[in-house]
Amino acid sequence: MLNGYIVRETEAAVAFVAAADASKAGVKPLWIPRKKIVATVELDLTSRTIVTGQDGERVGTPVNLDVDTVFLAKIGLAA
């Protein structure tokens, strides 16, 4: 389960910033294909402004993402 913010969305993927990286300026979002997301839980927390290196300031929506573990292992985020 990934905890953080969605800062951008397309039909095919979401741009995700981990909660630990949200306060860093110029953070690079991780693009996660929608077909690899098992479940999304939008949290009842305040959205925040996140400065990305890609798009500048974006409003991040707080979420918990349950992502396919094989995909996470492939990109190096799971043991």
Side-chain angles (χ1 to χ4, degrees):
M1 179 105 22
L2 300 175
N3 181 16
Y5 300 87
I6 292 177
V7 293
R8 191 165 169 206
E9 297 183 64
T10 68
E11 286 185 30
V14 298
F16 176 81
V17 175
D21 297 332
S23 61
K24 297 177 184 174
V27 66
K28 183 178 178 186
L30 171 65
W31 283 92
I32 302 173
R34 288 189 186 271
K35 64 183 179 181
K36 300 298 182 184
I37 298 173
V38 177
T40 303
V41 177
E42 188 171 331
L43 303 175
D44 192 23
L45 300 171
T46 305
S47 297
R48 66 181 290 181
T49 301
I50 298 172
V51 180
T52 67
Q54 189 173 357
D55 297 320
E57 286 189 359
R58 304 289 294 189
V59 175
T61 304
V63 295
N64 282 335
L65 294 181
D66 187 4
V67 180
D68 178 54
T69 55
V70 174
F71 174 74
L72 290 178
K74 184 176 179 180
I75 63 171
L77 289 180

